[in-house]
């Protein structure tokens, strides 16, 4: 083995969550009353297109969560030495972009540095000029004349490649589909083109084509150029932005691991047992909710910093430390955000408890625990799902703001908030260094926008009544 | 009515005690004052004596809950809990870790925060209600459809980008107003325009969408149908009936944030260098000044609870159907 696999805690949780998501999909597929609203989501063009883009982001985060220590040198025949650095599968896929460091800033697709430097020209005189980049466009002899043509030719080749494979995959899938449904491939194709299929296959096809084009073209261009330029220390901005996907997604999904158990358990208990149980639980969430969330998070993260600076020896590597901080951030975000859902679930349990079928179950002597598990909880799950999907985009946005105030993820971790934070200091430069900000903006905006659109569709499909008036 | 208000305020007391306990546990039990001292002084080459001095200067040398060395009442009062946490109840914030009087700082910095927050709130309300009413007027058409999508897109932009974009566009590119800074009196006006504008634009997406749903809910009610069947014009129905009734949930929703306006906006004040409570908090977080953060946590919670009480009261005022029980 030339690598030594390693699992960060967040990786394990993320994988566990992914497996339970897949299990959830299987459970839902088997039960018609559960799968009906979801098929409504998939039948809406907005729903399936946004889901596809979200899955794309999710896949990047998954690939970026497979971590290992690369092997550095062979000490003896049988003993390998592993680097203390932690790499992910995504790093391997993006190797040239990760390792090709420039000296400092360079504009997107530039061949020359952003800042002038003292250099020796051919005549041996010193003069100030823009030096060539170490890697960006290094294969060109005359960058001024060749660059545009080179970029166009790489992009065209990559696009042709991408579209070819895309067409191949889609034809194969449609052929499979037509075989299974005893439908002619030609009629199926015609239906897809006319958007007359049950599910919006045409929109999905177009989205997948766009995603494929963007991926292949950016990867191919990234081999020779810095697609989004480089930052202050010369790191590829495109690489940073892609690496930040994992942070954003993880904050959005791992937080639910804290919110859901708390909200479901306490909400159901409060609504079901009422009396002093209800009073205590209401007291807990009103108190927690009264503390301004940013300040509570700030206090908690400050205390974490105190702890970490006092116990610096407990962490094997910087990555591990940053990882724990990310986990802690999810924890504290979860603690501040379960109250809203808990209140909704409490009210819903209140309502459900008065229903005749629950009273019937009680009359039959079904135990309270069983009533809660089998008759109450399944009936408010739609609220849980809606709330999870609605909260996701807010959490991604919160990460950026928190990182900006220095109470977010570790400064060494790639995240959109950190990118904005670092880039903001360069706003005063003239000409302005805009590419870090733009890259963070494009990646974050796309994720949050489609998460919001998806949430709207899910909400409408699962239950049009609830959470409507909420912001 | 006054009995109701008093009962409502009494109800807030256990919550305040809870918040006080949470901050106490967070700041003094989870991490001991020794940890704080080490963090501030640096863990290398710091002697026990230095830590003791640091704690003594700030009053952290006392025991947490019970002082066995003192007798009588002093056994309870000469403790961190009494000196640092219990005194928050009477808004005695003590002094910050760098030795300044927190109460004085707050009373000074409150005003720039308010000067920024109040116009943002008022003009923002005016703009978003107008927009939402317009969209509600065109409900079910393409204008409605695209307006909602634009709102979702606006919500999807991080508040950081609103600020950065606004600073770049108006401050740097067009050079209409200064990018950041503050001044006293009327001179502050030119520094306020940009942050207020950005605050308004940043709120348009979420508020317009929210108010639109409120308007649409109202439009589907029976009395609106009655108004139409009387032969009133659509404009008349919207402005006279729908707007008035929809203002109830909108304004009661605003009441809850009114007290929090004092706290200011963390991001905006920080970006624009406005010396309000928001930037005060951020500076404290960055300097790791626990005393200030603790004071702000408590102050923020108190203001939030006041907002809740005010909301309840305003509900009973605007809607006579709600009984004071």
């Amino acid at each position: 083995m030339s690598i030594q696999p390693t699992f960060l805690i967040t990786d394990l949780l993320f994988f566990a969550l992914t497996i339970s998501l897949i299990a959830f999909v299987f459970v839902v597929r088997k039960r018609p009353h559960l799968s009906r609203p979801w098929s409504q989501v998939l039948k809406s063009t907005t729903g399936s297109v946004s889901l596809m883009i979200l899955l794309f982001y999710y896949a990047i985060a998954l690939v970026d969560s497979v971590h290992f220590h690369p092997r550095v040198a062979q000490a003896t025949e049988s003993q390998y030495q592993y680097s203390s650095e932690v790499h992910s599968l995504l790093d391997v896929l993006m190797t040239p972009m990760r390792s090709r460091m420039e000296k400092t800033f360079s504009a997107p697709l530039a061949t020359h540095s952003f800042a002038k430097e003292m250099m020796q020209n051919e005549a041996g005189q010193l003069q100030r000029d823009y030096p060539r980049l170490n890697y960006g466009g290094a294969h060109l002899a005359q960058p001024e004349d060749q660059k545009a043509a080179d970029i166009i030719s790489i992009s065209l080749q990559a696009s042709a490649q991408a579209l070819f494979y895309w067409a191949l995959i889609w034809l194969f899938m449609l052929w499979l589909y037509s075989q299974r449904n005893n439908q002619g491939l030609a009629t199926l194709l015609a239906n897809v083109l006319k958007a007359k299929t049950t599910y919006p296959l045409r929109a999905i096809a177009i989205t997948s084509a766009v995603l494929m084009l963007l991926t292949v073209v950016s990867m191919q261009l990234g081999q020779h150029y810095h697609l989004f330029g480089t930052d202050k220390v010369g790191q590829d901005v495109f690489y940073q932005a892609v690496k930040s996907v994992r942070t954003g997604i993880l904050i959005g999904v791992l937080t639910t691991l804290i919110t859901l158990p708390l909200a479901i358990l306490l909400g159901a208990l409060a609504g079901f047992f009422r009396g002093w149980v209800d009073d205590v639980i209401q007291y807990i969430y009103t108190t927690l909710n009264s503390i301004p969330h940013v300040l509570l998070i700030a206090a908690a993260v400050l205390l974490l910093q105190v702890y970490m600076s006092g116990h610096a020896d407990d962490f094997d590597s910087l990555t591990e430390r940053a990882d724990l901080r990310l986990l802690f951030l999810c924890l504290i975000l979860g603690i501040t955000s379960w109250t809203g859902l808990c209140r909704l679930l409490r009210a819903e349990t209140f309502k459900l408890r008065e229903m005749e079928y629950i009273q019937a179950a009680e009359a039959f002597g079904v135990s309270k625990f069983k009533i809660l598990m089998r008759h109450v909880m399944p009936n408010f799950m739609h609220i849980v799902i809606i709330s999870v999907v609605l909260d996701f985009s807010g959490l991604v946005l919160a990460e950026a703001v928190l990182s900006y105030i220095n109470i977010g993820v570790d400064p060494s971790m790639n995240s959109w908030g950190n990118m904005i934070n670092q880039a903001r200091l360069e706003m005063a430069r003239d000409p302005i260094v805009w590419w870090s900000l733009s890259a963070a903006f494009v990646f974050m905006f796309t994720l949050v926008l489609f998460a919001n659109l998806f949430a709207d569709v899910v909400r409408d499909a699962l239950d049009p009544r609830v959470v409507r008036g909420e912001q | 009515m006054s009995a109701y208000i008093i009962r409502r305020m009494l109800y807030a007391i256990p919550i305040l005690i809870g918040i006080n306990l949470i901050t106490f546990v967070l700041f003094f039990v989870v991490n001991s004052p020794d940890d704080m001292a080490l963090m501030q002084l640096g863990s290398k080459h710091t002697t026990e004596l230095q830590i003791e001095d640091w704690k003594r200067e700030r009053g952290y040398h006392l025991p947490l809950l019970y002082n066995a060395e003192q007798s009588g009442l002093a056994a309870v009062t000469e403790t961190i809990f009494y000196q640092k946490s219990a005194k928050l109840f009477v808004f005695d914030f003590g002094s910050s870790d760098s030795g300044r009087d927190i109460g004085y700082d707050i009373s000074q910095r409150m005003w720039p925060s308010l000067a920024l927050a109040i116009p943002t709130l008022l003009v923002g309300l005016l703009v978003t209600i107008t927009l939402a009413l317009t969209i509600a007027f065109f409900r079910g058409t393409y204008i409605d459809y695209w307006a909602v999508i634009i709102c979702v897109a606006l919500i999807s932009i991080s508040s950081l980008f609103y600020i950065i974009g606004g600073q770049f566009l108006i401050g740097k590119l067009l050079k209409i107003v200064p990018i950041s800074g503050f001044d006293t009196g009327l001179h502050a006006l030119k520094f306020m325009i940009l942050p207020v504008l950005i605050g308004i634009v940043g709120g348009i997406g979420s508020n317009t969408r929210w108010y639109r749903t409120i308007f649409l809910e109202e439009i589907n009610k029976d009395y609106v149908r009655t108004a139409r069947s009387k032969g009133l014009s659509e404009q008349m129905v919207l402005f006279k009936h729908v707007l008035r009734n929809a203002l109830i949930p909108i304004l009661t929703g605003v009441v809850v944030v009114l007290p929090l306006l004092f706290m200011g906006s963390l991001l905006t004040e920080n970006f624009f260098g406005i010396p309000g409570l928001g930037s005060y908090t951020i500076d404290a977080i960055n300097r790791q000044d626990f005393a200030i953060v603790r004071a702000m946590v408590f102050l923020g919670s108190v203001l939030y609870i006041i907002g809740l009480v005010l909301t309840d009261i305003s509900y009973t005022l605007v809607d006579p159907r709600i009984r004071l029980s």
Side-chain angles (χ1 to χ4, degrees):
Chain A
M1 286 260 292
S2 62
I3 53 168
Q4 184 186 34
T6 174
F7 295 100
L8 303 172
I9 301 172
T10 51
D11 294 343
L12 292 175
L13 291 174
F14 190 41
F15 292 143
L17 206 75
T18 311
I19 291 168
S20 29
L21 257 179
I22 294 170
F24 175 74
V25 171
F26 274 102
V27 170
V28 164
R29 275 188 61 156
K30 273 191 198 151
R31 291 174 174 73
H33 69 283
L34 291 179
S35 61
R36 202 177 307 122
W38 286 107
S39 79
Q40 192 187 327
V41 170
L42 291 180
K43 275 174 193 164
S44 104
T45 311
T46 322
S48 50
V49 167
S50 351
L51 179 64
M52 186 150 187
I53 288 165
L54 292 182
L55 284 179
F56 184 70
Y57 270 88
Y58 199 92
I60 294 178
L62 263 185
V63 173
D64 201 13
S65 295
V66 183
H67 285 105
F68 56 85
H69 294 288
R71 194 170 70 191
V72 271
Q74 213 167 333
T76 59
E77 279 290 302
S78 56
Q79 267 194 323
Y80 297 120
Q81 286 232 309
Y82 295 102
S83 159
S84 62
E85 261 184 278
V86 178
H87 285 179
S88 77
L89 204 56
L90 186 79
D91 292 332
V92 176
L93 294 174
M94 298 182 77
T95 302
M97 293 169 224
R98 179 177 60 80
S99 53
R100 291 182 174 176
M101 300 279 283
E102 304 293 346
K103 256 190 223 149
T104 178
F105 293 112
S106 66
L109 298 172
T111 53
H112 289 81
S113 178
F114 181 66
K116 279 188 177 175
E117 244 177 64
M118 288 301 268
M119 288 192 308
Q120 245 175 354
N121 61 7
E122 287 99 15
Q125 293 164 314
L126 279 176
Q127 67 174 90
R128 283 182 66 80
D129 204 355
Y130 300 106
R132 279 292 293 270
L133 293 179
N134 297 337
Y135 299 101
H139 60 296
L140 302 176
Q142 242 97 45
E144 288 84 0
D145 310 328
Q146 298 169 334
K147 191 174 101 175
D150 187 53
I151 290 173
I152 291 172
S153 90
I154 292 179
S155 315
L156 282 180
Q157 268 177 25
S159 314
Q161 246 177 34
L163 286 178
F164 175 71
Y165 287 115
W166 170 80
L168 219 59
I169 293 169
W170 269 90
L171 273 178
F172 179 68
M173 290 207 307
L174 287 178
W175 177 75
L176 270 185
Y177 188 81
S178 65
Q179 289 292 310
R180 264 179 53 181
N181 293 307
N182 284 326
Q183 207 178 3
L185 187 59
T187 40
L188 184 65
L189 261 179
N191 279 342
V192 169
L193 284 178
K194 278 185 267 174
K196 275 185 178 167
T197 42
T198 337
Y199 295 100
L201 284 182
R202 185 175 70 172
I204 297 175
I206 293 172
T207 317
S208 64
V210 171
L211 287 178
M212 193 120 172
L213 270 178
L214 286 178
T215 315
V216 177
V217 170
S218 58
M219 291 301 275
Q220 296 279 0
L221 276 178
Q223 305 284 328
H224 303 288
Y225 296 95
H226 300 290
L227 191 57
F228 273 107
T230 51
D231 71 350
K232 191 172 186 172
V233 291
Q235 210 186 18
D236 194 282
V237 172
F238 177 67
Y239 170 74
Q240 284 180 346
V242 175
K243 286 288 279 183
S244 304
V245 169
R246 178 177 182 269
T247 315
I249 294 273
L250 247 59
I251 293 261
V253 297
L254 287 190
T255 306
T256 57
L257 284 178
I258 310 292
T259 51
L260 289 195
L262 277 175
I264 293 178
L265 195 74
L266 294 182
L269 287 180
F272 194 75
F273 289 106
R274 304 184 191 173
W276 66 270
V277 180
D278 187 25
D279 288 340
V280 170
I281 292 172
Q282 267 202 65
Y283 173 71
I284 294 175
Y285 72 62
T286 324
T287 309
L288 257 183
N289 211 25
S290 302
I291 305 175
H293 290 171
V294 184
L295 289 176
L296 188 63
I297 295 169
V301 172
L302 276 185
L303 297 171
L304 180 79
Q305 281 174 349
V306 172
Y307 176 81
M308 283 191 164
S309 71
H311 301 78
D313 307 334
D314 293 356
F315 306 103
D316 286 347
S317 63
L318 274 178
T319 322
E320 209 169 292
R321 204 175 118 156
D323 187 63
L324 269 181
R325 182 159 165 170
L326 176 69
L327 191 65
F328 183 80
L329 196 67
C330 292
L331 179 92
I332 188 74
L333 276 170
I335 287 175
T336 55
S337 59
W338 62 274
T339 50
L341 178 60
C342 184
R343 195 162 43 209
L344 287 177
L345 294 182
R346 173 182 163 273
E348 187 70 14
T349 314
F350 243 89
K351 247 191 283 167
L352 288 174
R353 195 160 177 353
E354 295 303 316
M355 299 285 229
E356 272 114 0
Y357 73 93
I358 302 253
Q359 284 170 0
E362 270 182 338
F364 278 125
V366 182
S367 73
K368 287 205 152 85
F369 177 75
K370 247 190 178 158
I371 294 181
L372 259 183
M373 295 299 286
R374 295 181 65 167
H375 300 297
V376 176
M377 287 191 183
N379 282 310
F380 64 45
M381 273 306 157
H382 61 277
I383 301 183
V384 175
I385 294 169
I386 292 170
S387 151
V388 166
V389 181
L390 273 180
D391 286 351
F392 175 80
S393 57
L395 288 168
V396 177
L397 288 178
E399 184 277 320
V401 172
L402 293 178
S403 297
Y404 170 76
I405 327 178
N406 289 326
I407 51 174
V409 296
D410 197 86
S412 70
M413 193 164 209
N414 284 306
S415 91
W416 294 313
N418 281 338
M419 280 174 77
I420 298 168
N421 198 0
Q422 282 153 17
R424 194 182 74 96
L425 303 172
E426 312 303 332
M427 280 276 291
R429 272 174 188 268
D430 211 33
I432 188 165
V433 177
W434 49 270
W435 40 91
S436 268
L437 284 173
S438 317
F441 175 76
V442 169
F443 275 78
M444 198 157 81
F445 179 67
T446 316
L447 177 62
V448 176
L449 176 68
F450 286 104
N452 277 331
L453 291 173
F454 184 65
D456 275 3
V457 179
V458 169
R459 184 177 54 184
D460 289 345
L462 262 71
D463 196 328
R465 282 177 299 126
V466 279
V467 216
R468 253 289 155 81
E470 296 262 333
Q471 215 173 343
Chain B
M1 185 73 192
S2 54
Y4 171 76
I5 295 175
I6 289 171
R7 197 167 54 240
R8 195 63 193 73
M9 281 157 99
L10 286 179
Y11 184 65
I13 289 175
I15 297 178
L16 281 177
I17 294 176
I19 289 162
N20 200 299
L21 285 178
I22 290 178
T23 50
F24 175 72
V25 170
L26 260 180
F27 283 96
F28 295 112
V29 182
V30 177
N31 279 282
S32 67
D34 289 293
D35 291 332
M36 274 191 254
L38 272 180
M39 177 110 180
Q40 292 284 341
L41 300 170
S43 51
K44 283 174 191 160
H45 315 299
T46 312
T47 58
E48 286 284 313
L49 200 68
Q50 280 173 309
I51 293 178
E52 271 310 309
D53 281 348
W54 189 88
K55 277 159 59 183
R56 193 168 292 277
E57 268 172 37
R58 289 159 184 79
Y60 295 146
H61 62 293
L62 299 166
L64 281 180
L65 282 171
Y66 185 78
N67 196 339
E69 289 167 22
Q70 306 277 339
S71 59
L73 203 59
V76 183
T77 55
E78 288 297 307
T79 57
I80 290 185
F81 180 71
Y82 184 82
Q83 297 286 336
K84 299 287 170 190
S85 279
K87 279 189 175 170
L88 289 177
F89 281 120
V90 289
F91 296 104
D92 178 357
F93 297 113
S95 56
S96 71
D97 286 349
S98 53
R100 288 177 61 92
D101 182 16
I102 298 178
Y104 175 76
D105 275 351
I106 289 177
S107 68
Q108 290 296 304
R109 283 171 164 264
M110 208 163 77
W111 304 113
S113 285
L114 274 183
L116 187 67
I118 290 176
T120 311
L121 179 79
L122 292 182
V123 183
L125 265 179
L126 198 70
V127 171
T128 44
I129 290 178
T130 315
L131 281 174
L133 201 61
T134 319
I135 297 171
F137 182 74
F138 289 108
R139 66 191 173 279
T141 64
Y142 269 103
I143 297 177
D144 182 24
Y145 177 79
W146 281 104
V148 172
I149 289 198
I150 290 172
C151 281
V152 174
L154 286 176
I155 296 170
S156 308
I157 298 173
S158 168
S159 47
L160 292 168
F161 286 114
Y162 280 112
I163 301 175
I164 294 173
Q167 274 188 334
F168 177 69
L169 197 73
I170 295 173
K172 197 164 176 184
L173 220 56
L174 305 174
K175 297 200 169 71
I176 299 173
V177 287
I179 288 186
S180 71
F182 201 69
D183 208 340
T184 48
L186 276 179
H187 297 289
L189 209 60
K190 66 171 187 274
F191 292 104
M192 306 293 295
I193 296 171
L194 189 54
V196 168
L197 190 73
I198 288 172
I200 294 167
V201 174
I204 282 184
S206 62
N207 287 339
T208 308
R209 193 166 74 136
W210 186 24
Y211 297 160
R212 173 187 163 272
T213 49
I214 292 179
F215 281 131
L216 289 188
E217 256 168 44
E218 211 62 40
I219 281 177
N220 290 325
K221 284 189 178 161
D222 287 342
Y223 73 88
V224 178
R225 198 166 351 137
T226 316
R228 283 212 195 92
S229 59
K230 276 198 313 192
L232 290 183
S233 67
E234 183 69 22
Q235 282 93 326
M236 201 65 167
V237 171
L238 273 184
F239 281 102
K240 263 223 124 129
H241 296 276
V242 174
L243 178 62
R244 276 200 179 176
N245 282 293
L247 276 181
I248 294 174
I250 292 176
L251 292 183
T252 40
V254 168
V255 169
V256 73
V257 299
L258 280 181
L260 283 174
L261 292 183
F262 283 99
M263 298 290 285
S265 151
L266 294 179
L267 287 180
T268 318
E269 288 183 15
N270 180 259
F271 265 100
F272 291 99
I274 290 162
L277 281 182
S279 56
Y280 187 56
T281 316
I282 292 223
D283 290 347
I285 292 171
N286 285 335
R287 274 188 285 116
Q288 292 165 340
D289 194 321
F290 292 91
I292 298 179
V293 176
R294 200 177 62 236
M296 296 310 286
V297 167
F298 190 73
L299 186 66
S301 316
V302 171
L303 291 173
Y304 179 79
I305 291 170
I306 295 176
L308 285 185
V309 176
L310 287 180
T311 310
D312 281 359
I313 295 171
S314 64
Y315 265 124
T316 59
L317 286 181
V318 294
D319 195 342
R321 280 170 304 176
I322 295 174
R323 270 175 290 129
L324 306 176
S325 55

